[in-house]
């Protein structure tokens, strides 16, 4: 057989070359080798791969190591002076032991192969002895070019799986490696004997009682076997079984063992197939009593002949000898696809039967005889063997462990007190109890600690196998008497067991009529206090109805453990509820309570906190001079108390900057400086980085122009009167807190009746939804021009907002109005004092036309003072404007940026009293800066005299 690089050769070398080139492979390649090549290629392995994984965390004192060391020492002595290397690997392909016939051979190997720890599993090393033995589960030989990797082309090897004789599991692989030129057929016999020696040493590490029971079963099967019958190998069967099927088989087998009598059970598997489990009581020669569980499957027998049974010694601890059946040729398993409706059938290998250790006994396969020789051929095999008493306790213990494990996964999935209590009840029914009631104080449901839980209990959960039992309904306050099990468990802090409720005087006296009805259904009770971190949270009551056996001490311990775990989750939920309530209260207190109702817009708003935690979203509406209105929406980064407090600071500052009549881009600049300052101050307290986004819009109803600027915030949605929806392309701007970057504003014309929707990112950003899809949903929800702002808010929340928001959502909808041009009067005049009287006269005539004669005197005086100041201290041109809305607004603008200041004039001063008079006559007054110049405005009531 050619060796070396697989090019230009014949036989396997030529076949491998053709295979690697993707060509059809001739029939000369063994099936196992070709299958391994195909698996290696599907795994993406390369023949030129040089490195193998190396593990240094393997168990250096594993069972296979302890059993194999003396055997490998003898093999090393036998092959001394040869180029043989002997390896033992574990069931994952990691080499644990290495021996060499020549010491120099180790130096000739790659460095990673000289010491234990390198992995030769097929999935990483391709076709090789260790990997293929694990894949094929039998003795294999790989020679020369049959190896997948180039590095092994000049080598040959034989490898054989080593099984635990009792568990049947493959514990490892024994492998002989040698040059291809030194092939010796006798190596097959040598490696089999060495593997058997290792397996005998593994057997000595098993339980004597297990060995005795298994020997008794084998002896019984051998004695009744007139012919050679076929069996099912459960560990081989497990390879193609659904995990649920494996669990069902072992669970049912354990139940049969715990009963300790002859019985049968039909188990339906996941794919519809059915297996009959039969239990057979037996007794070993040493007096150990047990039960064997066999699987019986109908189907034709395989035709492979079996060799004569041989014998192997039983280690000390049990008498007699164990029967071992050898299959010739090696067994081939019938795949499920080849035999529809049947489980895979196998003859026994030369090893002891495949079995699996478990808390209930020994699981596996072994030869068994049909009870009736003339009956149709059936497949039988050992599934489990064990002692009934041990099986009963082990089964109960395993079920308790499984329930506790399930409780750890199911209880506390949310931070909701009621939901956590419901999860406790759902976990306990029906595995522990048939009905569960949970009573919690009202204070705990609010997130607080109850001052006296005994007087504040409310029925929170009622859960059971049926819904028609007369338990107190959810929401009703329950009053337990001092002698009831529930109050006694609160007083003692321990679970109270009432195995027979008919004899529980305290429980019967609580409500005789009610308890009498319950006694027709339930018969046993465990009352458990829910206590965590020293806080009494409530009571869990477990009732048993269907199971005739009453609760016992083990059930009480299990109920207490379940309640203790659930109490921690309930307390976590309670604490979270308290913190969330505090933050939400702070958040809502810092948001505006009563928004103004200006003439410029019609307003609607919503705030929806996140389910998990409260953030720092906010909105505001600010009346500005000249009938303008300012619209704010913002979002502080993060959640919790700090975000809510930062939001309050930011909203207060934003209102202050807006009321100073700064344009939107300047307001954002001031807010950016503020957030940066807060961020520099907070790290000293360990608060972390502070950031925020914001959108500010100013709408002027006199011109129907809206000026907007944003700082890292989503753009608004604009709905025009015809229903057209758009998202204005505003300059994005950086988020607040970065500092040093400018903000830009944009001006948009809004026809009367337009709707402007400002929102935070919680509305559109969700990890389960695509933003573009959400924006399309938002566009569809807004495309209804007939809707009012209130209806718009409701529609958006119902159709666009996520069902379970992970972030806060703030909405602000404004429908614009325009100020009637007939309510606006404006005059332009030069900087000439002589023109002041003309403006006063024109203003009086306009006020008379508006029917504001009572306001005329105050307006005339304020207008005269403002125009005179503009002429004296400002720069032309000068413009005068009167706005008639809910109030009368007088505006005088000029081209100077110098603002007047209110001061108290001395008695000797000739001037300086004009602004004082204006301040006395007006409701409010101020200065608004323009890109060129300023506006001095004064507002007075329509009834001013």
């Amino acid at each position: 057989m050619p060796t070396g690089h697989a090019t230009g050769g014949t036989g396997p070398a030529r076949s491998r070359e053709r295979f690697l080139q993707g060509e059809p492979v001739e029939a000369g390649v063994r099936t196992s080798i070709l299958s391994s090549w195909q698996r290696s290629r599907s795994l993406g392995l390369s023949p030129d791969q040089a490195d193998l994984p190396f593990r240094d965390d393997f168990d250096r004192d594993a069972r296979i190591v302890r059993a194999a060391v003396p055997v490998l020492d003898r093999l090393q002595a036998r092959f001394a002076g040869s180029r043989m290397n002997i390896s033992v690997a574990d069931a994952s392909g990691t080499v644990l032991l290495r021996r060499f016939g020549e010491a120099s051979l180790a130096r000739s190997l790659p460095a990673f192969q000289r010491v234990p720890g390198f992995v030769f599993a097929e999935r990483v090393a391709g076709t090789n002895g260790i990997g293929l033995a694990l894949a094929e589960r039998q003795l294999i030989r790989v020679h020369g070019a049959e190896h997948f990797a180039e590095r092994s082309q000049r080598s040959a090897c034989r490898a054989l799986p080593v099984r635990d004789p009792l568990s049947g599991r493959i514990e490892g692989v024994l492998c002989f490696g040698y040059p291809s030129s030194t092939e010796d057929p006798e190596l097959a016999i040598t490696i089999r004997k060495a593997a058997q020696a290792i397996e005998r040493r593994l057997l000595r590490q098993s339980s004597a009682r297990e060995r005795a029971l298994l020997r008794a079963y084998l002896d019984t099967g051998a004695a009744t076997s007139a012919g050679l019958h076929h069996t099912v190998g459960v560990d081989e069967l497990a390879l193609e079984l659904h995990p649920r099927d494996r669990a069902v088989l072992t669970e049912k087998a354990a139940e049969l063992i715990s009963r300790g009598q002859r019985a049968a059970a039909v188990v339906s598997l996941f794919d519809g197939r059915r297996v009959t489990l039969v239990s057979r009581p037996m007794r070993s020669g040493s007096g150990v009593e047990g039960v064997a569980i066999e699987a019986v499957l109908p189907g034709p027998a395989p035709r492979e002949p079996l060799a004569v049974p041989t014998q192997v010694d039983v280690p000390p601890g049990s008498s007699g000898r164990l029967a071992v059946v050898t299959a010739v040729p090696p067994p081939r398993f019938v795949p499920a696809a080849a035999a529809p409706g049947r489980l895979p059938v196998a003859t026994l290998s030369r090893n002891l039967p495949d079995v699996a250790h478990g808390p209930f006994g020994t699981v596996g396969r072994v030869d068994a005889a049909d009870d009736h020789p003339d009956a149709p051929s059936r497949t039988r095999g050992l599934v489990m063997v064990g002692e009934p008493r041990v099986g009963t306790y082990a089964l109960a213990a395993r079920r308790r462990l499984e329930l506790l494990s399930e409780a750890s996964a199911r209880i506390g999935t949310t931070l909701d007190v009621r939901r956590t209590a419901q999860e406790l009840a759902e976990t306990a029914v029906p595995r522990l109890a048939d009905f569960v009631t949970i009573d919690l104080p009202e204070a705990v449901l609010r997130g607080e600690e109850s001052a006296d839980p005994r007087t504040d209990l409310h029925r929170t959960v009622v859960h059971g196998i049926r819904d028609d039992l007369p338990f107190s309904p959810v929401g009703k306050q329950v009053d337990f008497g001092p002698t009831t099990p529930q109050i006694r468990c609160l007083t003692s802090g321990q679970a109270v067991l009432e195995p027979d409720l008919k004899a529980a005087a305290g429980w019967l006296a609580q409500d005789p009529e009610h308890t009498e009805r319950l006694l027709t259904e339930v018969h046993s009770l465990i009352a458990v206090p829910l206590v965590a971190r020293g806080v009494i949270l409530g009571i869990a009551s477990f009732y048993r109805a269907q199971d005739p056996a009453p609760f016992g001490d083990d059930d009480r311990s299990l109920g207490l453990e379940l309640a203790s775990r659930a109490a921690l989750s309930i307390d976590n939920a309670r604490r979270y509820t308290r913190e969330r309530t505090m933050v939400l209260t702070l958040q809502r207190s810092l948001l505006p309570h009563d928004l103004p109702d200006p003439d410029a817009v019609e307003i609607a708003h919503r705030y929806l906190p996140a389910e998990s935690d409260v953030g720092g979203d906010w909105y505001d509406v600010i009346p500005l001079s000249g009938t303008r209105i300012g619209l704010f929406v913002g979002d502080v980064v993060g959640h919790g108390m700090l975000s809510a407090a930062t939001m309050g600071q930011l909203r207060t500052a934003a209102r202050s900057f807006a009321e100073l009549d700064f344009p939107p881009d300047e307001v954002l600049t001031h807010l950016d400086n503020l957030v940066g300052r807060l961020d520099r101050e907070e790290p000293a307290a360990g608060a972390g980085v502070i950031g925020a986004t914001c959108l500010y819009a100013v709408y002027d109803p006199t011109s129907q122009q809206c000026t907007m600027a944003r700082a890292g915030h989503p753009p608004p949605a604009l709905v025009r009167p015809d229903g057209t929806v758009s998202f204005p392309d505003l300059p994005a701007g950086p988020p607040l807190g970065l500092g040093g970057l400018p903000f830009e504003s944009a001006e948009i014309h809004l026809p009367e009746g337009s709707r402007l929707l400002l929102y935070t990112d919680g509305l559109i950003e969700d990890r389960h939804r695509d933003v573009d899809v959400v924006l399309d949903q938002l566009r569809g929800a807004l495309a209804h021009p007939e809707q009012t702002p209130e209806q718009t808010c409701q529609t958006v929340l119902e159709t666009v907002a996520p069902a379970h928001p992970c972030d806060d959502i703030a909405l602000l909808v404004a429908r614009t109005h325009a100020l009637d041009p007939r309510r606006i009067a404006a005059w332009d005049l030069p900087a000439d004092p002589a023109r002041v009287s003309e403006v006063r006269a024109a203003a009086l005539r306009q006020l008379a036309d508006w029917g504001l004669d009572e306001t005329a005197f105050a307006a005339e005086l304020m207008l005269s003072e403002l125009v005179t100041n503009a002429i004296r201290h400002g720069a032309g041109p000068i413009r005068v404007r009167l706005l008639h809305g809910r109030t009368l607004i007088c505006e005088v603008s000029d081209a100077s940026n110098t603002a007047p200041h209110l001061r108290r004039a001395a008695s000797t001063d000739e001037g300086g009293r004009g602004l004082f008079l204006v301040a006395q006559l007006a409701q409010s007054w101020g200065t608004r800066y323009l890109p060129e110049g300023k506006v001095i405005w004064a507002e007075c009531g329509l009834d001013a005299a």
Side-chain angles (χ1 to χ4, degrees):
M1 179 176 293
T3 60
H5 191 73
T7 57
T10 60
R14 177 59 180 165
S15 298
R16 179 177 176 277
E17 180 182 0
R18 293 170 58 85
F19 174 80
L20 294 176
Q21 294 174 357
E23 300 177 11
V25 177
E26 58 265 26
V29 181
R30 289 182 288 152
T31 302
S32 60
I33 298 297
L34 181 58
S35 299
S36 179
W37 286 356
Q38 293 170 343
R39 290 194 297 266
S40 300
R41 184 169 60 183
S42 66
L43 292 170
L45 300 179
S46 170
D48 299 325
Q49 179 179 340
D51 297 330
L52 289 177
F54 182 85
R55 295 177 50 197
D56 56 4
D57 59 344
F58 62 90
D59 187 359
R60 301 178 186 274
D61 192 37
R63 296 178 68 239
I64 186 69
V65 173
R66 297 196 303 270
V69 165
V71 178
L72 261 65
D73 289 342
R74 291 197 296 270
L75 290 173
Q76 184 178 23
R78 174 175 177 174
F79 291 109
S82 70
R83 297 188 61 79
M84 176 72 69
N85 68 84
I86 308 141
S87 303
V88 171
D90 63 15
S92 66
T94 303
V95 173
L96 306 178
L97 296 170
R98 201 76 190 269
R99 297 288 190 274
F100 299 97
E102 290 182 0
S104 60
L105 182 59
R107 293 191 293 272
S108 65
L109 293 175
F112 66 87
Q113 296 187 28
R114 298 174 189 171
V115 295
F118 63 88
V119 181
F120 257 132
E122 188 182 69
R123 67 181 184 276
V124 294
T127 307
N128 68 89
I130 293 175
L132 191 55
L134 289 172
E136 294 290 324
R137 305 170 68 84
Q138 61 181 335
L139 176 64
I140 60 93
R141 178 176 65 92
V142 183
H143 195 285
E146 291 181 330
H147 288 90
F148 186 76
E150 299 285 357
R151 61 173 172 267
S152 304
Q153 296 297 294
R154 298 183 181 277
S155 302
C157 65
R158 291 181 184 268
L160 179 65
V162 177
R163 298 173 182 266
D164 184 326
L166 279 180
S167 74
R169 293 187 299 267
I170 292 179
E171 291 286 336
V173 176
L174 176 63
C175 181
F176 289 176
Y178 47 88
S180 298
S181 58
T182 59
E183 179 66 42
D184 185 354
E186 293 297 322
L187 289 177
I189 300 175
T190 303
I191 196 170
R192 285 182 184 276
K193 290 182 177 180
Q196 289 173 357
I198 297 175
E199 289 172 349
R200 285 194 298 270
R201 294 182 59 82
L202 285 172
L203 186 63
R204 294 191 184 102
Q205 301 178 32
S206 303
S207 163
R209 299 180 71 87
E210 285 183 316
R211 295 196 299 269
L213 285 176
L214 182 59
R215 186 196 61 77
Y217 176 82
L218 293 173
D219 288 346
T220 302
T224 59
S225 297
L228 296 173
H229 298 273
H230 48 285
T231 65
V232 58
V234 176
D235 75 323
E236 304 290 348
L237 172 63
L239 294 177
E240 62 94 29
L241 276 183
H242 190 278
R244 193 183 73 174
D245 290 339
R246 294 198 297 268
V248 169
L249 279 176
T250 56
E251 179 80 10
K252 182 58 67 174
E255 290 182 7
L256 292 175
I257 287 178
S258 66
R259 295 174 186 174
Q261 58 187 4
R262 186 180 297 274
V266 177
V267 180
S268 297
L269 301 184
F270 185 71
D271 56 4
R273 294 177 292 177
R274 297 161 68 86
V275 179
T276 301
L277 295 181
V278 179
S279 62
R280 182 206 301 177
M282 62 182 185
R283 181 185 182 91
S284 72
S286 59
V288 180
E289 295 183 353
V291 177
I293 309 298
E294 294 176 315
V296 180
L297 299 95
R303 299 184 179 277
E304 291 89 342
L306 295 179
V308 178
T310 60
Q311 302 290 324
V312 296
D313 290 338
V314 177
S318 63
S319 60
R321 303 169 72 83
L322 289 176
V324 181
V325 182
T326 304
V328 183
R332 296 183 60 89
F333 297 95
V334 181
R342 289 182 52 217
L343 295 174
V345 175
T347 58
L348 290 180
S349 68
R350 51 147 195 87
N351 295 311
L352 283 178
D354 287 342
V355 288
H357 271 313
F360 314 110
T362 309
V363 181
R365 72 171 190 216
V366 71
D367 191 25
D370 292 331
D371 294 333
H372 304 286
D374 298 332
S377 178
R378 293 181 178 180
T379 298
R380 302 188 64 171
L382 181 65
V383 176
M384 185 177 287
V385 61
E387 299 175 70
R389 184 169 55 254
V390 175
T392 301
Y393 295 149
L395 179 63
R398 192 181 79 175
R399 286 178 173 173
R400 283 170 168 77
L401 288 174
E402 289 175 348
L403 181 57
L404 291 176
S405 176
E406 181 179 342
S408 300
R410 291 186 61 181
I411 300 176
T413 59
T414 68
L415 288 172
D416 181 84
V417 174
R418 288 182 174 84
R419 179 57 198 158
T420 304
Q422 181 71 30
E423 289 169 344
L424 167 60
E426 292 173 353
T427 303
V429 174
R431 306 274 288 278
L432 173 62
D434 297 315
F435 298 93
V436 175
T437 63
I438 298 178
D439 307 308
L440 303 178
E442 186 67 26
V444 171
L445 297 174
R446 296 194 305 267
E448 304 168 2
E449 296 183 13
S450 176
D452 187 0
R454 294 172 295 183
T455 61
D456 187 30
L457 291 171
H458 287 72
R459 183 58 46 87
T460 306
V461 173
V462 177
H463 183 71
I465 55 177
R466 302 200 316 272
D467 298 330
D468 56 350
L469 263 66
F471 290 106
S472 298
V474 172
K476 181 180 178 180
Q477 184 170 356
V478 289
D479 297 318
F480 294 110
T483 60
T484 58
Q486 285 82 359
I487 295 301
R488 283 157 47 204
C489 80
L490 282 183
T491 303
S492 64
Q494 298 294 323
V496 174
L497 169 63
E498 291 288 359
D500 184 5
L501 286 177
K502 293 181 179 179
W507 185 78
L508 293 171
Q510 171 68 18
D511 187 348
E513 181 180 354
H514 185 202
T515 54
E516 184 177 354
R517 286 183 293 163
L518 275 179
L519 280 177
T520 62
E521 301 288 346
V522 300
H523 60 79
S524 191
L525 164 68
I526 299 175
V528 185
L530 297 173
V531 182
R533 303 181 180 98
V535 178
I536 298 177
L537 303 172
I539 302 170
S541 301
F542 303 94
Y543 295 88
R544 180 164 285 178
Q546 287 191 334
D547 191 340
F551 284 125
D553 289 335
D554 289 341
D555 298 313
R556 176 173 54 185
S557 300
L558 179 59
L560 184 60
E561 179 66 23
L562 278 177
S564 298
R565 297 189 181 200
L568 284 174
S569 297
I570 292 175
D571 190 49
N572 290 338
R574 178 191 67 83
R575 290 166 176 255
Y576 168 77
T577 301
R578 180 187 61 189
E579 296 297 327
R580 186 176 187 274
T581 301
M582 293 173 56
V583 174
L584 186 58
T585 301
L586 174 63
Q587 170 84 348
R588 293 192 182 279
S589 68
L590 295 175
L591 290 173
H593 299 286
D594 297 317
L595 291 180
D597 184 20
D599 293 333
V601 292
E602 182 182 349
I603 295 292
H605 56 90
R606 293 287 190 279
Y607 171 72
L608 184 65
E611 282 193 352
S612 58
D613 206 352
V614 179
D617 292 18
W618 58 282
Y619 57 86
D620 208 348
V621 177
I622 305 170
L624 302 176
S625 63
T627 69
R628 296 171 306 128
I629 195 75
L631 306 174
F632 267 112
V633 68
D635 184 3
V636 177
V637 173
H639 298 83
M641 192 72 72
L642 175 62
S643 296
T646 304
M647 179 275 291
Q649 293 177 286
L650 199 60
R651 175 179 168 255
T652 301
R655 171 175 283 271
S656 300
F657 295 142
E659 289 178 344
L660 291 175
D661 267 325
F662 291 137
D665 54 337
E666 291 188 24
V667 170
L668 295 184
T669 299
H670 288 295
L671 291 177
D672 182 52
N673 294 334
L674 172 65
V675 173
R677 185 166 61 255
L678 292 175
D679 192 36
R680 290 191 297 271
E681 296 172 354
E682 291 297 341
V689 177
I690 297 175
T693 64
C694 183
L695 172 63
Y696 180 38
V698 176
Y699 173 67
D700 187 348
T702 63
S703 62
Q704 301 177 39
Q705 294 293 114
C706 184
T707 305
M708 293 181 277
R710 63 188 180 116
H713 201 84
L718 173 60
V719 186
R720 298 191 179 274
D722 61 357
T724 304
V725 181
S726 62
F727 298 93
D729 186 15
L730 304 180
L736 301 177
L738 294 183
L741 298 176
F743 297 95
E744 299 181 50
S745 59
E747 194 171 88
I748 301 174
H749 180 73
L750 301 183
E752 186 174 10
S754 299
R755 281 174 296 156
L756 193 64
L757 174 67
L758 283 66
Y759 55 89
T760 55
D761 57 4
L763 177 67
I764 62 172
E765 294 183 6
D766 184 83
R767 60 177 176 268
H768 303 296
R769 304 187 299 171
D770 184 80
V771 173
D772 293 334
V773 174
V774 177
L775 290 177
D776 288 339
Q777 294 176 348
L778 180 59
R779 184 178 284 105
L782 295 176
H784 301 282
E786 73 283 356
Q787 287 185 343
T788 64
E790 284 290 340
Q791 292 172 334
T792 301
C793 282
Q794 193 64 29
T795 300
V796 168
L797 288 182
E798 290 176 353
T799 61
V800 181
H804 304 284
C806 299
D807 195 5
D808 292 13
I809 298 175
L811 289 181
L812 186 62
V813 179
R815 182 161 63 182
T816 63
H817 299 301
L819 188 61
D820 191 339
R822 292 173 297 180
R823 289 176 170 262
I824 303 173
W827 301 273
D828 293 320
L829 66 155
D832 183 359
R835 303 293 297 273
V836 175
S837 58
E838 298 178 8
V839 172
R840 285 203 305 266
L844 289 174
R845 289 193 297 272
Q846 184 64 62
L847 293 176
D849 292 341
W850 288 340
L852 302 179
D853 295 326
E854 295 182 358
T855 312
F857 174 76
E860 179 186 12
L861 185 55
M862 289 189 300
L863 194 61
S864 177
E865 290 296 333
L866 293 177
V867 173
T868 300
N869 279 341
I871 293 174
R872 287 183 177 180
H873 306 290
I878 297 173
R879 182 176 177 83
V880 177
R881 188 170 70 158
L882 297 180
L883 304 176
H884 178 202
R886 296 185 182 182
T887 61
L888 178 65
I889 300 174
C890 302
E891 294 183 346
V892 177
S893 61
D894 64 79
S896 171
N897 290 324
T898 303
H901 298 282
L902 181 65
R903 66 184 181 88
R904 182 177 296 276
S907 58
T908 56
D909 291 341
E910 296 184 0
R913 298 178 179 83
L915 284 181
F916 179 77
L917 290 176
V918 170
Q920 294 299 312
L921 294 173
Q923 292 180 350
S924 59
W925 72 280
T927 302
R928 180 171 75 249
Y929 289 95
L930 304 174
E932 295 182 0
K934 65 180 182 298
V935 176
I936 309 297
W937 57 272
E939 180 178 351
C940 62
L942 299 183
D943 58 349

